[in-house]
Amino acid sequence: MHKIIFVIFTSLLMALMMSCEEEEYVEPNDFSDVAFYTSQFRNEEFVIGVNDYISFADLSYNAIDHSWSISSGNYFLEGPISNSDTLLQKLIVNEGDTVSLEKTVHVLFSKTGLQTVRLYNTFKDSVAYRGTDTLSAKKAGEVWVLDTTFVIDVYDTIAPLASVKQEGAEIAISEDTIYVEAGTELEFTDLTTQGRPDTRSWNVRDIENGQSIASSSDSVATLVFKKLGVYKATLNSSRTGQNIPAGFASLTITNPIKVIPSSKPFVLNGNIYEGEDQTIYVPYNGEFQPFAGEPSDFTVMVNGAAFNISSVSLNSDDATLIEIKLSDQIYRSDSITVSYVGGTIKSTDERLAQAFSDVPVVMHDVNLLPAGYGFEDGGAAWAAMWDNGADFEFTTDKAASGQYSLKIVKSEGQAAGKIESINSLFSLEAGKTYEIRYKIWMPESNTAASMGIWLLPNWKQFWDNLADKPRGEWVTVTKEYAPAAAEDGRRLMIQITADGEYYFDDFYLSEKDVRP
């Protein structure tokens, strides 16, 4: 028997020779041929949802015997079947039969997993489907047998399944209320397997007004509850991939989730940071009540000098963020700190925001290099130059950040090491000055005095002094470059000429931004 993955409707060679000029008896043609058709003829694989059907037609010519056989648990349907027929079980014929002698059959698949539909034909002559050897009849006694099996992957209905954890402890799904302190979180895990879904979405809505307050598409979603109220969580599970039957099901977690005032202080949560538009964002561990900002409650120091604050307000999309706008421009190279006197603004659960002093601001900085320059893809963007002589690998032995770094080892007698970012290109604009940064780590045994970084294909060279770089720790190296004209399709190459072991990580490119 054969597994048929792709079936195309073939034309039959049926010759009825008739003359238009005179009537003449023609002896019937006893030519044999094999052909078949299915309603899924365009699919590379047979896939279907449970309780749906596929039509199979045997178009073979001059077969002696013919039959269709199906797996038990599936059924033949009476045709024809229209698009308006939704209760297919009512069309079952001869329930329990697994063999049909009809030329065309409609098979209802009520059993999930891999199911089979077998076509069995005998001929007095040798036949082959579309002239192929893989589907040719086999001689059995006085006849030729073509025994073909279609394999159908039947997808079950989706049955969403989930678990909820609070501080690591699993909570039983029931009608009982889950109490959550404002600013804390619940962990939702998608445990769905039935129906083989490929996408999901979590959504938490306010029971009173239906507004969504948190969402995620992660299989394990950690959702923070910031505002007092009562909420419901829902898991939507679906199949949306190509060439698989669509499916959707929704599960509502029956436990109401009630957010109560927090017993924890209302404090900073994470880094204070600068946005792209020079706004300074101050994050807290809960939502603020609406307030009329008082700039005098905050102090912003820039390079040791107090800067004028033009406004203090709540972020319109996230009420855990305070926005501070300054009257004067700030620069990436600036050293900025923020202080707050405390006691003047409150959270939605009536906690006073705690004071803080001289907290540094993380400045907005965009790496203009593609992600491959951090090696977290395992070095997919990098390759050896044609004349590279050193050994190299992308390793998890050590990293300045993330998990991966590039390790290069040049041994005595080897040609120079030359590793380039051939599959990760970038562009530079004319009239701008750029900083190229990277991190390097060398063991104490490495006595190299220098190495080079090249900008290709224009072969711009940046030699770096290694003699003054400490060993046994990650060191940041910075170079500047101001292209005279726009440069597109650029890449970097690392050149190692001295023997030794080297690790590289976190290549970075940014526009130079210095206060005039």
Side-chain angles (χ1 to χ4, degrees), residues 468-513:
D468 62 352
K469 303 293 188 297
R471 266 54 173 173
E473 64 183 75
W474 286 101
V475 180
T476 299
V477 179
T478 302
K479 296 294 180 182
E480 292 186 8
Y481 179 58
E487 299 184 6
D488 296 326
R490 293 301 184 250
R491 62 187 190 274
L492 294 180
M493 182 190 73
I494 302 169
Q495 182 179 19
I496 301 295
T497 56
D499 296 346
E501 182 178 271
Y502 306 78
Y503 290 84
F504 295 89
D505 204 357
D506 294 345
F507 278 82
Y508 206 92
L509 176 71
S510 62
E511 294 181 32
K512 189 175 182 181
D513 181 25

mmCIF file of all heavy atoms in Angstrom, residues 468-513:
data_model
loop_
_atom_site.group_PDB
_atom_site.id
_atom_site.type_symbol
_atom_site.label_atom_id
_atom_site.label_comp_id
_atom_site.label_asym_id
_atom_site.label_seq_id
_atom_site.Cartn_x
_atom_site.Cartn_y
_atom_site.Cartn_z
ATOM 1 N N ASP A 468 47.059 48.494 26.734
ATOM 2 C CA ASP A 468 46.614 49.198 27.932
ATOM 3 C C ASP A 468 45.259 48.695 28.450
ATOM 4 O O ASP A 468 44.684 49.278 29.364
ATOM 5 C CB ASP A 468 46.529 50.702 27.664
ATOM 6 C CG ASP A 468 45.523 51.043 26.573
ATOM 7 O OD1 ASP A 468 44.996 50.107 25.921
ATOM 8 O OD2 ASP A 468 45.260 52.247 26.359
ATOM 9 N N LYS A 469 44.745 47.624 27.863
ATOM 10 C CA LYS A 469 43.438 47.103 28.279
ATOM 11 C C LYS A 469 43.620 46.053 29.368
ATOM 12 O O LYS A 469 44.454 45.137 29.237
ATOM 13 C CB LYS A 469 42.700 46.472 27.094
ATOM 14 C CG LYS A 469 42.483 47.401 25.899
ATOM 15 C CD LYS A 469 41.524 48.523 26.228
ATOM 16 C CE LYS A 469 41.160 49.324 24.977
ATOM 17 N NZ LYS A 469 42.311 50.006 24.357
ATOM 18 N N PRO A 470 42.866 46.148 30.452
ATOM 19 C CA PRO A 470 42.977 45.140 31.516
ATOM 20 C C PRO A 470 42.532 43.768 31.022
ATOM 21 O O PRO A 470 41.717 43.652 30.116
ATOM 22 C CB PRO A 470 42.043 45.671 32.612
ATOM 23 C CG PRO A 470 41.099 46.585 31.909
ATOM 24 C CD PRO A 470 41.857 47.174 30.769
ATOM 25 N N ARG A 471 43.106 42.734 31.630
ATOM 26 C CA ARG A 471 42.754 41.361 31.302
ATOM 27 C C ARG A 471 41.805 40.809 32.378
ATOM 28 O O ARG A 471 41.744 41.320 33.491
ATOM 29 C CB ARG A 471 44.015 40.484 31.238
ATOM 30 C CG ARG A 471 44.630 40.329 29.846
ATOM 31 C CD ARG A 471 44.945 41.617 29.132
ATOM 32 N NE ARG A 471 45.690 41.378 27.878
ATOM 33 C CZ ARG A 471 45.985 42.296 26.999
ATOM 34 N NH1 ARG A 471 45.629 43.566 27.205
ATOM 35 N NH2 ARG A 471 46.640 41.982 25.896
ATOM 36 N N GLY A 472 41.080 39.755 31.979
ATOM 37 C CA GLY A 472 40.210 39.081 32.939
ATOM 38 C C GLY A 472 38.913 39.805 33.237
ATOM 39 O O GLY A 472 38.211 39.460 34.197
ATOM 40 N N GLU A 473 38.567 40.801 32.423
ATOM 41 C CA GLU A 473 37.299 41.514 32.604
ATOM 42 C C GLU A 473 36.854 42.087 31.261
ATOM 43 O O GLU A 473 37.642 42.235 30.338
ATOM 44 C CB GLU A 473 37.434 42.633 33.626
ATOM 45 C CG GLU A 473 38.392 43.742 33.201
ATOM 46 C CD GLU A 473 38.557 44.808 34.260
ATOM 47 O OE1 GLU A 473 39.258 44.545 35.261
ATOM 48 O OE2 GLU A 473 37.969 45.908 34.066
ATOM 49 N N TRP A 474 35.554 42.362 31.157
ATOM 50 C CA TRP A 474 35.018 42.954 29.934
ATOM 51 C C TRP A 474 35.390 44.434 29.871
ATOM 52 O O TRP A 474 35.218 45.167 30.850
ATOM 53 C CB TRP A 474 33.503 42.805 29.873
ATOM 54 C CG TRP A 474 33.060 41.402 29.550
ATOM 55 C CD1 TRP A 474 32.608 40.474 30.424
ATOM 56 C CD2 TRP A 474 33.051 40.793 28.253
ATOM 57 N NE1 TRP A 474 32.306 39.303 29.753
ATOM 58 C CE2 TRP A 474 32.563 39.467 28.419
ATOM 59 C CE3 TRP A 474 33.399 41.218 26.971
ATOM 60 C CZ2 TRP A 474 32.425 38.591 27.357
ATOM 61 C CZ3 TRP A 474 33.258 40.342 25.914
ATOM 62 C CH2 TRP A 474 32.777 39.042 26.098
ATOM 63 N N VAL A 475 35.891 44.852 28.737
ATOM 64 C CA VAL A 475 36.315 46.233 28.528
ATOM 65 C C VAL A 475 35.570 46.792 27.315
ATOM 66 O O VAL A 475 35.453 46.114 26.286
ATOM 67 C CB VAL A 475 37.836 46.309 28.287
ATOM 68 C CG1 VAL A 475 38.262 47.759 28.066
ATOM 69 C CG2 VAL A 475 38.594 45.694 29.442
ATOM 70 N N THR A 476 35.070 48.015 27.424
ATOM 71 C CA THR A 476 34.370 48.666 26.309
ATOM 72 C C THR A 476 35.356 49.495 25.490
ATOM 73 O O THR A 476 36.109 50.301 26.042
ATOM 74 C CB THR A 476 33.238 49.567 26.822
ATOM 75 O OG1 THR A 476 32.294 48.777 27.537
ATOM 76 C CG2 THR A 476 32.523 50.248 25.663
ATOM 77 N N VAL A 477 35.341 49.277 24.195
ATOM 78 C CA VAL A 477 36.198 50.027 23.270
ATOM 79 C C VAL A 477 35.286 50.888 22.391
ATOM 80 O O VAL A 477 34.281 50.398 21.866
ATOM 81 C CB VAL A 477 37.031 49.082 22.396
ATOM 82 C CG1 VAL A 477 37.910 49.878 21.426
ATOM 83 C CG2 VAL A 477 37.898 48.170 23.266
ATOM 84 N N THR A 478 35.629 52.159 22.232
ATOM 85 C CA THR A 478 34.802 53.091 21.462
ATOM 86 C C THR A 478 35.626 53.753 20.362
ATOM 87 O O THR A 478 36.748 54.217 20.610
ATOM 88 C CB THR A 478 34.209 54.181 22.381
ATOM 89 O OG1 THR A 478 33.452 53.568 23.408
ATOM 90 C CG2 THR A 478 33.312 55.121 21.586
ATOM 91 N N LYS A 479 35.057 53.799 19.167
ATOM 92 C CA LYS A 479 35.670 54.488 18.038
ATOM 93 C C LYS A 479 34.656 55.438 17.418
ATOM 94 O O LYS A 479 33.441 55.222 17.520
ATOM 95 C CB LYS A 479 36.129 53.484 16.975
ATOM 96 C CG LYS A 479 37.226 52.551 17.450
ATOM 97 C CD LYS A 479 38.507 53.306 17.728
ATOM 98 C CE LYS A 479 39.608 52.391 18.206
ATOM 99 N NZ LYS A 479 40.859 53.139 18.527
ATOM 100 N N GLU A 480 35.144 56.509 16.754
ATOM 101 C CA GLU A 480 34.265 57.468 16.082
ATOM 102 C C GLU A 480 34.501 57.419 14.582
ATOM 103 O O GLU A 480 35.614 57.167 14.115
ATOM 104 C CB GLU A 480 34.502 58.886 16.599
ATOM 105 C CG GLU A 480 34.064 59.096 18.033
ATOM 106 C CD GLU A 480 34.174 60.553 18.452
ATOM 107 O OE1 GLU A 480 34.451 61.410 17.570
ATOM 108 O OE2 GLU A 480 33.990 60.839 19.645
ATOM 109 N N TYR A 481 33.430 57.703 13.852
ATOM 110 C CA TYR A 481 33.542 57.717 12.388
ATOM 111 C C TYR A 481 32.509 58.679 11.819
ATOM 112 O O TYR A 481 31.333 58.637 12.202
ATOM 113 C CB TYR A 481 33.312 56.315 11.829
ATOM 114 C CG TYR A 481 33.386 56.243 10.321
ATOM 115 C CD1 TYR A 481 34.529 56.637 9.631
ATOM 116 C CD2 TYR A 481 32.299 55.769 9.588
ATOM 117 C CE1 TYR A 481 34.597 56.553 8.251
ATOM 118 C CE2 TYR A 481 32.360 55.673 8.206
ATOM 119 C CZ TYR A 481 33.513 56.080 7.541
ATOM 120 O OH TYR A 481 33.578 55.999 6.179
ATOM 121 N N ALA A 482 32.958 59.567 10.923
ATOM 122 C CA ALA A 482 32.070 60.536 10.269
ATOM 123 C C ALA A 482 32.175 60.342 8.757
ATOM 124 O O ALA A 482 33.124 60.839 8.128
ATOM 125 C CB ALA A 482 32.446 61.959 10.652
ATOM 126 N N PRO A 483 31.243 59.613 8.153
ATOM 127 C CA PRO A 483 31.331 59.365 6.704
ATOM 128 C C PRO A 483 31.152 60.650 5.909
ATOM 129 O O PRO A 483 30.320 61.496 6.239
ATOM 130 C CB PRO A 483 30.191 58.388 6.444
ATOM 131 C CG PRO A 483 29.221 58.613 7.555
ATOM 132 C CD PRO A 483 30.037 58.992 8.752
ATOM 133 N N ALA A 484 31.932 60.788 4.853
ATOM 134 C CA ALA A 484 31.827 61.981 4.005
ATOM 135 C C ALA A 484 30.578 61.946 3.150
ATOM 136 O O ALA A 484 30.060 62.982 2.739
ATOM 137 C CB ALA A 484 33.070 62.084 3.126
ATOM 138 N N ALA A 485 30.073 60.734 2.882
ATOM 139 C CA ALA A 485 28.858 60.556 2.081
ATOM 140 C C ALA A 485 28.072 59.398 2.673
ATOM 141 O O ALA A 485 28.585 58.639 3.506
ATOM 142 C CB ALA A 485 29.216 60.286 0.627
ATOM 143 N N ALA A 486 26.838 59.275 2.267
ATOM 144 C CA ALA A 486 26.007 58.176 2.754
ATOM 145 C C ALA A 486 26.637 56.838 2.377
ATOM 146 O O ALA A 486 27.174 56.681 1.277
ATOM 147 C CB ALA A 486 24.603 58.271 2.177
ATOM 148 N N GLU A 487 26.585 55.890 3.280
ATOM 149 C CA GLU A 487 27.164 54.575 3.057
ATOM 150 C C GLU A 487 26.110 53.515 3.354
ATOM 151 O O GLU A 487 25.638 53.403 4.487
ATOM 152 C CB GLU A 487 28.398 54.350 3.936
ATOM 153 C CG GLU A 487 29.528 55.340 3.655
ATOM 154 C CD GLU A 487 30.778 55.049 4.478
ATOM 155 O OE1 GLU A 487 30.792 54.014 5.175
ATOM 156 O OE2 GLU A 487 31.726 55.853 4.423
ATOM 157 N N ASP A 488 25.740 52.741 2.367
ATOM 158 C CA ASP A 488 24.745 51.677 2.514
ATOM 159 C C ASP A 488 25.414 50.308 2.435
ATOM 160 O O ASP A 488 26.493 50.158 1.865
ATOM 161 C CB ASP A 488 23.671 51.780 1.418
ATOM 162 C CG ASP A 488 22.870 53.064 1.523
ATOM 163 O OD1 ASP A 488 22.645 53.522 2.652
ATOM 164 O OD2 ASP A 488 22.492 53.607 0.459
ATOM 165 N N GLY A 489 24.739 49.319 2.992
ATOM 166 C CA GLY A 489 25.226 47.943 2.891
ATOM 167 C C GLY A 489 26.557 47.714 3.566
ATOM 168 O O GLY A 489 27.397 46.955 3.083
ATOM 169 N N ARG A 490 26.784 48.358 4.721
ATOM 170 C CA ARG A 490 28.058 48.203 5.418
ATOM 171 C C ARG A 490 28.011 46.999 6.371
ATOM 172 O O ARG A 490 26.957 46.552 6.812
ATOM 173 C CB ARG A 490 28.382 49.471 6.220
ATOM 174 C CG ARG A 490 28.673 50.686 5.338
ATOM 175 C CD ARG A 490 29.856 50.407 4.428
ATOM 176 N NE ARG A 490 30.261 51.543 3.632
ATOM 177 C CZ ARG A 490 30.107 51.660 2.315
ATOM 178 N NH1 ARG A 490 29.503 50.699 1.636
ATOM 179 N NH2 ARG A 490 30.549 52.703 1.667
ATOM 180 N N ARG A 491 29.200 46.477 6.666
ATOM 181 C CA ARG A 491 29.344 45.400 7.616
ATOM 182 C C ARG A 491 30.666 45.568 8.354
ATOM 183 O O ARG A 491 31.531 46.340 7.912
ATOM 184 C CB ARG A 491 29.284 44.039 6.932
ATOM 185 C CG ARG A 491 30.392 43.785 5.912
ATOM 186 C CD ARG A 491 30.161 42.494 5.153
ATOM 187 N NE ARG A 491 31.298 42.083 4.340
ATOM 188 C CZ ARG A 491 31.525 42.491 3.109
ATOM 189 N NH1 ARG A 491 30.689 43.349 2.529
ATOM 190 N NH2 ARG A 491 32.582 42.053 2.435
ATOM 191 N N LEU A 492 30.834 44.854 9.461
ATOM 192 C CA LEU A 492 32.061 44.943 10.250
ATOM 193 C C LEU A 492 32.872 43.663 10.112
ATOM 194 O O LEU A 492 32.319 42.570 9.913
ATOM 195 C CB LEU A 492 31.745 45.178 11.725
ATOM 196 C CG LEU A 492 31.091 46.516 12.080
ATOM 197 C CD1 LEU A 492 30.844 46.588 13.586
ATOM 198 C CD2 LEU A 492 31.947 47.692 11.634
ATOM 199 N N MET A 493 34.195 43.801 10.233
ATOM 200 C CA MET A 493 35.083 42.643 10.274
ATOM 201 C C MET A 493 36.033 42.798 11.446
ATOM 202 O O MET A 493 36.575 43.887 11.691
ATOM 203 C CB MET A 493 35.890 42.509 8.983
ATOM 204 C CG MET A 493 36.793 41.272 8.973
ATOM 205 S SD MET A 493 37.971 41.221 7.586
ATOM 206 C CE MET A 493 39.165 42.481 8.064
ATOM 207 N N ILE A 494 36.219 41.714 12.185
ATOM 208 C CA ILE A 494 37.194 41.675 13.273
ATOM 209 C C ILE A 494 38.466 41.027 12.730
ATOM 210 O O ILE A 494 38.413 39.925 12.171
ATOM 211 C CB ILE A 494 36.662 40.860 14.464
ATOM 212 C CG1 ILE A 494 35.340 41.448 14.961
ATOM 213 C CG2 ILE A 494 37.690 40.815 15.588
ATOM 214 C CD1 ILE A 494 34.620 40.548 15.944
ATOM 215 N N GLN A 495 39.602 41.708 12.898
ATOM 216 C CA GLN A 495 40.880 41.161 12.439
ATOM 217 C C GLN A 495 41.804 40.959 13.634
ATOM 218 O O GLN A 495 42.104 41.894 14.377
ATOM 219 C CB GLN A 495 41.552 42.080 11.418
ATOM 220 C CG GLN A 495 42.864 41.517 10.873
ATOM 221 C CD GLN A 495 43.502 42.419 9.837
ATOM 222 O OE1 GLN A 495 43.196 43.601 9.754
ATOM 223 N NE2 GLN A 495 44.406 41.866 9.036
ATOM 224 N N ILE A 496 42.256 39.710 13.814
ATOM 225 C CA ILE A 496 43.156 39.352 14.903
ATOM 226 C C ILE A 496 44.486 38.926 14.291
ATOM 227 O O ILE A 496 44.539 37.964 13.516
ATOM 228 C CB ILE A 496 42.594 38.186 15.746
ATOM 229 C CG1 ILE A 496 41.230 38.569 16.339
ATOM 230 C CG2 ILE A 496 43.575 37.780 16.836
ATOM 231 C CD1 ILE A 496 41.281 39.687 17.332
ATOM 232 N N THR A 497 45.557 39.634 14.644
ATOM 233 C CA THR A 497 46.880 39.301 14.090
ATOM 234 C C THR A 497 47.801 38.668 15.121
ATOM 235 O O THR A 497 48.746 37.966 14.760
ATOM 236 C CB THR A 497 47.546 40.566 13.525
ATOM 237 O OG1 THR A 497 47.618 41.562 14.547
ATOM 238 C CG2 THR A 497 46.753 41.111 12.353
ATOM 239 N N ALA A 498 47.557 38.917 16.421
ATOM 240 C CA ALA A 498 48.423 38.376 17.475
ATOM 241 C C ALA A 498 47.820 37.110 18.063
ATOM 242 O O ALA A 498 46.594 36.989 18.204
ATOM 243 C CB ALA A 498 48.633 39.415 18.578
ATOM 244 N N ASP A 499 48.679 36.145 18.403
ATOM 245 C CA ASP A 499 48.198 34.906 18.992
ATOM 246 C C ASP A 499 47.499 35.185 20.320
ATOM 247 O O ASP A 499 47.863 36.112 21.063
ATOM 248 C CB ASP A 499 49.369 33.940 19.236
ATOM 249 C CG ASP A 499 50.051 33.507 17.942
ATOM 250 O OD1 ASP A 499 49.448 33.741 16.866
ATOM 251 O OD2 ASP A 499 51.167 32.973 18.011
ATOM 252 N N GLY A 500 46.525 34.373 20.625
ATOM 253 C CA GLY A 500 45.830 34.526 21.901
ATOM 254 C C GLY A 500 44.358 34.198 21.799
ATOM 255 O O GLY A 500 43.836 33.846 20.732
ATOM 256 N N GLU A 501 43.700 34.311 22.938
ATOM 257 C CA GLU A 501 42.267 34.021 23.064
ATOM 258 C C GLU A 501 41.516 35.330 23.286
ATOM 259 O O GLU A 501 41.934 36.163 24.103
ATOM 260 C CB GLU A 501 42.045 33.070 24.244
ATOM 261 C CG GLU A 501 40.614 32.640 24.453
ATOM 262 C CD GLU A 501 40.487 31.664 25.609
ATOM 263 O OE1 GLU A 501 40.611 30.450 25.368
ATOM 264 O OE2 GLU A 501 40.287 32.118 26.757
ATOM 265 N N TYR A 502 40.401 35.502 22.551
ATOM 266 C CA TYR A 502 39.649 36.748 22.604
ATOM 267 C C TYR A 502 38.148 36.411 22.671
ATOM 268 O O TYR A 502 37.687 35.473 22.012
ATOM 269 C CB TYR A 502 39.878 37.601 21.354
ATOM 270 C CG TYR A 502 41.321 37.889 21.016
ATOM 271 C CD1 TYR A 502 42.122 36.918 20.400
ATOM 272 C CD2 TYR A 502 41.870 39.144 21.268
ATOM 273 C CE1 TYR A 502 43.432 37.183 20.061
ATOM 274 C CE2 TYR A 502 43.194 39.423 20.918
ATOM 275 C CZ TYR A 502 43.966 38.439 20.322
ATOM 276 O OH TYR A 502 45.259 38.716 19.979
ATOM 277 N N TYR A 503 37.416 37.224 23.405
ATOM 278 C CA TYR A 503 35.948 37.150 23.409
ATOM 279 C C TYR A 503 35.404 38.530 23.045
ATOM 280 O O TYR A 503 35.912 39.555 23.527
ATOM 281 C CB TYR A 503 35.410 36.760 24.782
ATOM 282 C CG TYR A 503 35.691 35.333 25.182
ATOM 283 C CD1 TYR A 503 36.907 34.990 25.761
ATOM 284 C CD2 TYR A 503 34.733 34.339 24.995
ATOM 285 C CE1 TYR A 503 37.167 33.680 26.143
ATOM 286 C CE2 TYR A 503 34.978 33.026 25.375
ATOM 287 C CZ TYR A 503 36.208 32.700 25.947
ATOM 288 O OH TYR A 503 36.447 31.405 26.321
ATOM 289 N N PHE A 504 34.339 38.563 22.196
ATOM 290 C CA PHE A 504 33.723 39.825 21.792
ATOM 291 C C PHE A 504 32.218 39.757 22.047
ATOM 292 O O PHE A 504 31.593 38.694 21.901
ATOM 293 C CB PHE A 504 33.972 40.098 20.305
ATOM 294 C CG PHE A 504 35.415 40.312 19.954
ATOM 295 C CD1 PHE A 504 36.223 39.232 19.616
ATOM 296 C CD2 PHE A 504 35.970 41.582 19.978
ATOM 297 C CE1 PHE A 504 37.560 39.415 19.293
ATOM 298 C CE2 PHE A 504 37.309 41.774 19.655
ATOM 299 C CZ PHE A 504 38.105 40.691 19.311
ATOM 300 N N ASP A 505 31.643 40.902 22.385
ATOM 301 C CA ASP A 505 30.196 40.947 22.621
ATOM 302 C C ASP A 505 29.704 42.391 22.487
ATOM 303 O O ASP A 505 30.486 43.342 22.519
ATOM 304 C CB ASP A 505 29.863 40.419 24.026
ATOM 305 C CG ASP A 505 28.434 39.906 24.137
ATOM 306 O OD1 ASP A 505 27.676 40.004 23.143
ATOM 307 O OD2 ASP A 505 28.061 39.395 25.210
ATOM 308 N N ASP A 506 28.402 42.515 22.304
ATOM 309 C CA ASP A 506 27.686 43.801 22.373
ATOM 310 C C ASP A 506 28.254 44.873 21.435
ATOM 311 O O ASP A 506 28.575 46.002 21.862
ATOM 312 C CB ASP A 506 27.661 44.345 23.813
ATOM 313 C CG ASP A 506 26.854 43.471 24.742
ATOM 314 O OD1 ASP A 506 26.093 42.623 24.241
ATOM 315 O OD2 ASP A 506 26.981 43.635 25.970
ATOM 316 N N PHE A 507 28.384 44.557 20.151
ATOM 317 C CA PHE A 507 28.733 45.596 19.183
ATOM 318 C C PHE A 507 27.590 46.611 19.115
ATOM 319 O O PHE A 507 26.408 46.244 19.113
ATOM 320 C CB PHE A 507 28.990 44.976 17.818
ATOM 321 C CG PHE A 507 30.370 44.410 17.687
ATOM 322 C CD1 PHE A 507 30.656 43.139 18.176
ATOM 323 C CD2 PHE A 507 31.382 45.145 17.092
ATOM 324 C CE1 PHE A 507 31.931 42.604 18.059
ATOM 325 C CE2 PHE A 507 32.662 44.618 16.968
ATOM 326 C CZ PHE A 507 32.943 43.344 17.461
ATOM 327 N N TYR A 508 27.941 47.886 19.049
ATOM 328 C CA TYR A 508 26.942 48.947 19.185
ATOM 329 C C TYR A 508 27.312 50.106 18.272
ATOM 330 O O TYR A 508 28.487 50.479 18.164
ATOM 331 C CB TYR A 508 26.930 49.426 20.642
ATOM 332 C CG TYR A 508 25.616 50.014 21.095
ATOM 333 C CD1 TYR A 508 24.656 49.220 21.689
ATOM 334 C CD2 TYR A 508 25.339 51.366 20.929
ATOM 335 C CE1 TYR A 508 23.450 49.742 22.133
ATOM 336 C CE2 TYR A 508 24.147 51.901 21.353
ATOM 337 C CZ TYR A 508 23.209 51.087 21.963
ATOM 338 O OH TYR A 508 22.019 51.618 22.379
ATOM 339 N N LEU A 509 26.316 50.665 17.618
ATOM 340 C CA LEU A 509 26.508 51.833 16.758
ATOM 341 C C LEU A 509 25.449 52.862 17.097
ATOM 342 O O LEU A 509 24.253 52.550 17.130
ATOM 343 C CB LEU A 509 26.403 51.434 15.286
ATOM 344 C CG LEU A 509 26.481 52.576 14.262
ATOM 345 C CD1 LEU A 509 27.894 53.139 14.200
ATOM 346 C CD2 LEU A 509 26.038 52.094 12.881
ATOM 347 N N SER A 510 25.873 54.107 17.360
ATOM 348 C CA SER A 510 24.916 55.167 17.665
ATOM 349 C C SER A 510 25.446 56.498 17.159
ATOM 350 O O SER A 510 26.657 56.660 16.927
ATOM 351 C CB SER A 510 24.656 55.257 19.173
ATOM 352 O OG SER A 510 25.851 55.585 19.869
ATOM 353 N N GLU A 511 24.537 57.427 16.967
ATOM 354 C CA GLU A 511 24.956 58.780 16.611
ATOM 355 C C GLU A 511 25.576 59.448 17.837
ATOM 356 O O GLU A 511 25.062 59.321 18.949
ATOM 357 C CB GLU A 511 23.757 59.610 16.139
ATOM 358 C CG GLU A 511 23.149 59.130 14.841
ATOM 359 C CD GLU A 511 21.991 60.013 14.423
ATOM 360 O OE1 GLU A 511 22.041 61.234 14.730
ATOM 361 O OE2 GLU A 511 21.040 59.495 13.829
ATOM 362 N N LYS A 512 26.653 60.118 17.613
ATOM 363 C CA LYS A 512 27.291 60.831 18.713
ATOM 364 C C LYS A 512 26.409 61.995 19.137
ATOM 365 O O LYS A 512 25.941 62.769 18.308
ATOM 366 C CB LYS A 512 28.669 61.331 18.288
ATOM 367 C CG LYS A 512 29.483 61.903 19.431
ATOM 368 C CD LYS A 512 30.886 62.285 18.984
ATOM 369 C CE LYS A 512 31.703 62.821 20.155
ATOM 370 N NZ LYS A 512 33.072 63.221 19.727
ATOM 371 N N ASP A 513 26.166 62.082 20.429
ATOM 372 C CA ASP A 513 25.245 63.091 20.967
ATOM 373 C C ASP A 513 25.929 63.753 22.161
ATOM 374 O O ASP A 513 25.914 63.224 23.272
ATOM 375 C CB ASP A 513 23.940 62.407 21.383
ATOM 376 C CG ASP A 513 22.916 63.393 21.919
ATOM 377 O OD1 ASP A 513 22.995 64.575 21.559
ATOM 378 O OD2 ASP A 513 22.050 62.973 22.704
#
